[in-house]
Coordinates of all heavy atoms in Angstrom, one line a residue:
M1 N -23.8 89.3 116.2 CA -22.9 88.4 115.6 C -22.8 87.1 116.3 O -22.8 87.1 117.5 CB -21.6 89.0 115.5 CG -21.3 89.7 114.1 SD -19.7 90.4 114.1 CE -18.9 89.3 113.1
E2 N -22.7 86.0 115.6 CA -22.6 84.7 116.2 C -21.1 84.3 116.2 O -20.4 84.5 115.3 CB -23.4 83.7 115.3 CG -24.4 83.0 116.1 CD -25.2 82.0 115.3 OE1 -26.2 82.5 114.6 OE2 -24.8 80.9 115.2
A3 N -20.7 83.7 117.3 CA -19.3 83.2 117.4 C -19.2 81.9 116.6 O -20.1 81.1 116.6 CB -19.0 82.9 118.9
V4 N -18.0 81.8 115.9 CA -17.8 80.6 115.2 C -17.1 79.6 116.1 O -16.1 79.9 116.8 CB -16.8 81.0 114.0 CG1 -16.4 79.7 113.2 CG2 -17.4 82.0 113.1
K5 N -17.7 78.4 116.1 CA -17.2 77.4 116.9 C -16.1 76.6 116.1 O -16.4 76.2 115.0 CB -18.3 76.4 117.4 CG -19.2 77.1 118.4 CD -20.3 76.1 118.8 CE -21.3 76.8 119.8 NZ -22.3 75.8 120.2
S6 N -15.0 76.3 116.7 CA -14.0 75.5 116.1 C -13.7 74.3 117.0 O -13.6 74.5 118.2 CB -12.7 76.3 115.8 OG -12.2 76.7 117.0
P7 N -13.5 73.1 116.4 CA -13.2 72.0 117.2 C -11.8 72.1 117.8 O -10.9 72.5 117.1 CB -13.4 70.8 116.3 CG -13.2 71.4 114.9 CD -13.7 72.8 115.0
T8 N -11.6 71.7 119.0 CA -10.3 71.8 119.6 C -9.6 70.5 119.7 O -8.4 70.4 120.0 CB -10.5 72.3 121.1 OG1 -11.3 71.4 121.8 CG2 -11.0 73.7 121.1
S9 N -10.3 69.4 119.3 CA -9.6 68.1 119.3 C -9.9 67.4 118.0 O -10.9 67.6 117.3 CB -10.1 67.2 120.5 OG -11.4 67.0 120.4
F10 N -9.0 66.4 117.7 CA -9.2 65.7 116.4 C -10.2 64.5 116.6 O -10.3 64.0 117.7 CB -7.9 65.1 116.0 CG -6.9 66.1 115.6 CD1 -5.7 66.3 116.3 CD2 -7.1 66.8 114.4 CE1 -4.8 67.2 115.9 CE2 -6.1 67.8 114.0 CZ -5.0 68.0 114.8
E11 N -10.9 64.2 115.6 CA -11.8 63.1 115.6 C -11.1 61.9 115.1 O -10.0 62.0 114.6 CB -13.0 63.4 114.7 CG -13.9 64.5 115.2 CD -15.2 64.7 114.4 OE1 -15.5 63.8 113.6 OE2 -15.8 65.8 114.6
A12 N -11.7 60.7 115.2 CA -11.1 59.5 114.9 C -10.7 59.4 113.4 O -9.7 58.9 113.0 CB -11.9 58.3 115.3
I13 N -11.6 59.9 112.5 CA -11.4 59.9 111.1 C -10.2 60.7 110.7 O -9.5 60.4 109.8 CB -12.7 60.3 110.3 CG1 -12.5 60.0 108.8 CG2 -13.0 61.7 110.6 CD1 -12.4 58.6 108.4
E14 N -10.0 61.8 111.4 CA -8.8 62.7 111.1 C -7.5 62.0 111.5 O -6.5 62.1 110.8 CB -9.0 64.0 111.9 CG -10.1 64.8 111.4 CD -10.4 66.0 112.3 OE1 -10.1 66.0 113.5 OE2 -11.0 67.0 111.7
Y15 N -7.5 61.2 112.5 CA -6.3 60.4 112.9 C -6.1 59.4 111.8 O -4.9 59.1 111.4 CB -6.5 59.7 114.2 CG -6.3 60.6 115.4 CD1 -7.4 60.9 116.3 CD2 -5.1 61.1 115.7 CE1 -7.2 61.7 117.3 CE2 -4.9 62.0 116.8 CZ -6.0 62.3 117.6 OH -5.8 63.1 118.7
V16 N -7.1 58.7 111.3 CA -7.0 57.7 110.2 C -6.5 58.4 108.9 O -5.6 57.8 108.3 CB -8.3 57.0 110.0 CG1 -8.3 56.1 108.7 CG2 -8.7 56.2 111.2
L17 N -7.0 59.5 108.6 CA -6.6 60.2 107.4 C -5.1 60.7 107.4 O -4.5 60.8 106.4 CB -7.5 61.4 107.1 CG -8.9 61.1 106.7 CD1 -9.7 62.3 106.5 CD2 -8.9 60.3 105.4
V18 N -4.6 60.9 108.6 CA -3.2 61.2 108.7 C -2.3 60.0 108.9 O -1.2 59.9 108.3 CB -3.0 62.2 110.0 CG1 -1.5 62.4 110.3 CG2 -3.7 63.5 109.7
A19 N -2.8 59.0 109.6 CA -1.9 57.8 110.0 C -1.8 56.9 108.8 O -0.8 56.3 108.6 CB -2.5 57.1 111.2
A20 N -2.9 56.7 108.0 CA -2.8 55.8 106.8 C -1.8 56.2 105.8 O -0.9 55.3 105.4 CB -4.2 55.6 106.2
P21 N -1.8 57.4 105.3 CA -0.7 57.8 104.3 C 0.7 57.7 104.9 O 1.6 57.4 104.3 CB -1.1 59.2 103.9 CG -2.5 59.3 104.2 CD -2.8 58.5 105.4
A22 N 0.8 58.1 106.2 CA 2.1 58.1 106.8 C 2.6 56.7 106.9 O 3.8 56.5 106.7 CB 2.0 58.8 108.2
A23 N 1.8 55.8 107.3 CA 2.2 54.4 107.4 C 2.5 53.8 106.0 O 3.5 53.1 105.9 CB 1.1 53.5 108.0
L24 N 1.8 54.2 105.0 CA 2.1 53.7 103.6 C 3.4 54.3 103.1 O 4.3 53.5 102.6 CB 1.0 54.2 102.7 CG 1.2 53.9 101.2 CD1 1.1 52.4 101.0 CD2 0.2 54.6 100.4
F25 N 3.7 55.5 103.3 CA 4.9 56.1 102.9 C 6.1 55.6 103.7 O 7.2 55.3 103.1 CB 4.9 57.6 103.0 CG 4.0 58.3 101.9 CD1 3.1 59.2 102.3 CD2 4.1 57.9 100.6 CE1 2.3 59.8 101.3 CE2 3.3 58.5 99.6 CZ 2.4 59.5 100.0
L26 N 5.9 55.3 105.0 CA 7.0 54.8 105.8 C 7.3 53.4 105.4 O 8.5 53.0 105.3 CB 6.6 54.9 107.3 CG 7.6 54.4 108.2 CD1 8.9 55.2 108.2 CD2 7.1 54.3 109.6
S27 N 6.3 52.6 105.1 CA 6.6 51.2 104.7 C 7.2 51.1 103.3 O 8.1 50.3 103.1 CB 5.3 50.4 104.7 OG 4.4 50.9 103.7
L28 N 6.8 52.0 102.4 CA 7.5 52.1 101.1 C 8.9 52.5 101.2 O 9.8 52.0 100.5 CB 6.7 53.0 100.1 CG 5.4 52.5 99.6 CD1 4.7 53.5 98.8 CD2 5.6 51.2 98.9
Y29 N 9.2 53.5 102.1 CA 10.5 54.0 102.3 C 11.4 52.9 102.9 O 12.6 52.7 102.4 CB 10.5 55.2 103.3 CG 11.8 55.7 103.7 CD1 12.6 56.4 102.8 CD2 12.4 55.4 104.9 CE1 13.9 56.9 103.2 CE2 13.6 55.8 105.3 CZ 14.3 56.6 104.4 OH 15.6 57.0 104.8
L30 N 10.9 52.1 103.9 CA 11.7 51.1 104.5 C 11.9 49.9 103.5 O 13.0 49.3 103.4 CB 11.1 50.6 105.7 CG 11.0 51.6 106.9 CD1 10.3 51.1 108.1 CD2 12.4 52.0 107.3
L31 N 10.9 49.6 102.7 CA 11.0 48.5 101.8 C 12.0 48.9 100.7 O 12.8 48.1 100.2 CB 9.6 48.2 101.2 CG 9.6 47.0 100.2 CD1 9.9 45.7 101.0 CD2 8.2 46.9 99.6
G32 N 11.9 50.1 100.2 CA 12.9 50.6 99.2 C 14.3 50.6 99.7 O 15.2 50.3 99.0
G33 N 14.5 51.0 100.9 CA 15.8 51.0 101.5 C 16.4 49.6 101.6 O 17.6 49.5 101.6
L34 N 15.6 48.6 101.7 CA 16.1 47.2 101.8 C 16.3 46.6 100.4 O 17.2 45.8 100.2 CB 15.1 46.3 102.6 CG 14.9 46.6 104.0 CD1 13.8 45.8 104.6 CD2 16.2 46.4 104.8
L35 N 15.5 47.0 99.4 CA 15.6 46.4 98.1 C 16.6 47.1 97.2 O 17.3 46.4 96.4 CB 14.2 46.3 97.5 CG 13.2 45.4 98.2 CD1 11.9 45.5 97.4 CD2 13.7 44.0 98.2
I36 N 16.6 48.4 97.2 CA 17.4 49.1 96.2 C 18.9 48.9 96.3 O 19.6 48.7 95.3 CB 17.0 50.6 96.2 CG1 15.6 50.8 95.7 CG2 18.0 51.5 95.4 CD1 15.1 52.2 95.7
P37 N 19.5 48.9 97.6 CA 20.9 48.7 97.6 C 21.3 47.3 97.1 O 22.5 47.1 96.6 CB 21.2 48.8 99.1 CG 20.1 49.6 99.7 CD 18.9 49.3 98.8
K38 N 20.5 46.3 97.2 CA 20.8 45.0 96.7 C 21.0 45.0 95.1 O 21.7 44.1 94.6 CB 19.8 44.0 97.1 CG 19.8 43.7 98.6 CD 18.8 42.7 99.0 CE 18.9 42.5 100.5 NZ 18.0 41.5 101.0
Q39 N 20.4 45.9 94.5 CA 20.5 46.0 93.0 C 21.9 46.4 92.6 O 22.4 46.1 91.5 CB 19.5 47.0 92.4 CG 18.1 46.5 92.6 CD 17.1 47.6 92.0 OE1 17.5 48.6 91.6 NE2 15.8 47.2 92.0
F40 N 22.6 47.1 93.5 CA 23.9 47.6 93.1 C 25.1 46.8 93.7 O 26.2 47.2 93.6 CB 24.0 49.1 93.6 CG 23.0 50.0 92.9 CD1 21.9 50.5 93.6 CD2 23.2 50.3 91.6 CE1 21.0 51.3 93.0 CE2 22.2 51.1 91.0 CZ 21.2 51.6 91.7
D41 N 24.7 45.7 94.4 CA 25.8 44.8 94.9 C 26.5 44.1 93.8 O 25.9 43.9 92.7 CB 25.1 43.8 95.8 CG 24.7 44.3 97.2 OD1 25.2 45.4 97.5 OD2 24.0 43.6 97.9
P42 N 27.8 43.8 94.0 CA 28.5 43.1 93.0 C 28.0 41.7 92.9 O 27.4 41.1 93.8 CB 30.0 43.1 93.4 CG 29.9 43.3 94.9 CD 28.6 44.2 95.1
P43 N 28.1 41.0 91.7 CA 27.6 39.7 91.6 C 28.3 38.7 92.5 O 29.5 38.9 92.7 CB 27.8 39.3 90.1 CG 28.8 40.3 89.6 CD 28.6 41.5 90.5
K44 N 27.7 37.7 93.0 CA 28.3 36.8 93.9 C 29.2 35.8 93.2 O 30.2 35.4 93.7 CB 27.2 36.1 94.7 CG 26.4 37.0 95.5 CD 25.7 36.4 96.7 CE 24.9 37.3 97.6 NZ 24.8 38.6 97.3
A45 N 28.9 35.5 92.0 CA 29.7 34.5 91.2 C 29.7 35.0 89.8 O 28.7 35.3 89.2 CB 29.2 33.1 91.4
C46 N 30.9 35.0 89.2 CA 31.0 35.4 87.8 C 31.2 34.2 86.9 O 32.0 33.3 87.2 CB 32.2 36.3 87.6 SG 32.3 37.0 86.0
H47 N 30.3 34.0 86.0 CA 30.3 32.8 85.1 C 31.3 32.9 84.0 O 31.6 31.9 83.3 CB 28.9 32.6 84.5 CG 27.9 32.4 85.6 ND1 27.8 31.3 86.4 CD2 26.9 33.2 86.0 CE1 26.8 31.4 87.2 NE2 26.2 32.5 87.0
L48 N 31.9 34.1 83.8 CA 32.9 34.3 82.7 C 34.3 34.2 83.3 O 34.6 34.7 84.3 CB 32.7 35.6 82.0 CG 31.3 35.8 81.4 CD1 31.2 37.2 80.8 CD2 31.1 34.8 80.3
N49 N 35.2 33.6 82.5 CA 36.6 33.6 82.9 C 37.3 34.7 82.1 O 37.3 34.7 80.9 CB 37.2 32.2 82.5 CG 38.6 32.1 83.0 OD1 39.2 33.1 83.6 ND2 39.2 30.9 82.8
A50 N 37.7 35.7 82.8 CA 38.3 36.9 82.2 C 39.5 36.6 81.3 O 39.8 37.2 80.3 CB 38.6 38.0 83.2
K51 N 40.3 35.6 81.7 CA 41.5 35.3 81.0 C 41.3 34.7 79.6 O 42.0 34.9 78.7 CB 42.4 34.3 81.8 CG 42.9 34.9 83.1 CD 43.8 34.0 83.9 CE 44.2 34.6 85.1 NZ 45.0 33.7 86.0
T52 N 40.2 34.0 79.5 CA 39.9 33.4 78.2 C 39.1 34.3 77.3 O 39.0 34.0 76.1 CB 39.1 32.1 78.4 OG1 37.9 32.4 79.0 CG2 39.9 31.0 79.2
E53 N 38.7 35.4 77.8 CA 37.9 36.3 77.0 C 38.7 37.3 76.1 O 38.3 37.8 75.2 CB 37.0 37.2 77.9 CG 35.9 36.4 78.6 CD 34.9 35.8 77.7 OE1 34.5 36.4 76.7 OE2 34.5 34.6 77.9
Y54 N 40.0 37.5 76.5 CA 40.9 38.4 75.8 C 41.8 37.6 74.9 O 42.2 36.5 75.2 CB 41.7 39.2 76.8 CG 40.8 40.1 77.6 CD1 40.6 39.8 79.0 CD2 40.2 41.3 77.1 CE1 39.8 40.6 79.8 CE2 39.5 42.1 77.9 CZ 39.2 41.8 79.2 OH 38.5 42.6 80.0
A55 N 42.1 38.2 73.8 CA 43.1 37.6 72.8 C 44.5 37.6 73.4 O 44.8 38.5 74.2 CB 43.0 38.3 71.5
A56 N 45.3 36.7 73.0 CA 46.7 36.6 73.4 C 47.5 37.8 72.9 O 47.2 38.3 71.8 CB 47.3 35.3 72.9
P57 N 48.4 38.3 73.7 CA 49.1 39.5 73.3 C 50.1 39.2 72.1 O 50.6 38.1 72.0 CB 49.9 39.9 74.5 CG 49.9 38.7 75.4 CD 48.7 37.9 75.1
R58 N 50.2 40.1 71.2 CA 51.1 39.9 70.0 C 52.4 40.5 70.3 O 52.5 41.4 71.0 CB 50.5 40.6 68.8 CG 49.2 40.0 68.3 CD 48.8 40.7 67.1 NE 47.3 40.5 66.8 CZ 46.7 41.1 65.8 NH1 47.3 42.0 65.1 NH2 45.4 40.9 65.6
G59 N 53.4 40.0 69.6 CA 54.7 40.6 69.7 C 55.8 39.8 70.1 O 56.4 39.0 70.3

């Protein structure tokens, strides 16, 4: 019987195959963390005047 040889260290391509998706997901996570909360911020200036939008009270 022949012994099966297994590599004990990673090659350069294996580092690239692990590091590239990790860097992509990390950059998307950080970019999303910066952009998504700004969508839920209150508006800085309101162009409508709330007092003129409602009818005068009757009675």
Side-chain angles (χ1 to χ4, degrees):
M1 264 180 106
E2 239 180 273
V4 177
K5 292 182 181 179
S6 64
T8 57
S9 64
F10 292 113
E11 294 183 14
I13 189 68
E14 292 170 336
Y15 283 113
V16 171
L17 290 175
V18 171
L24 176 67
F25 289 131
L26 182 63
S27 63
L28 289 176
Y29 174 76
L30 293 175
L31 184 65
L34 293 174
L35 294 179
I36 289 175
K38 291 183 181 180
Q39 292 178 357
F40 299 107
D41 284 345
K44 300 205 177 357
C46 186
H47 300 290
L48 299 175
N49 187 356
K51 291 181 181 176
T52 60
E53 294 295 320
Y54 296 105
R58 297 184 197 172

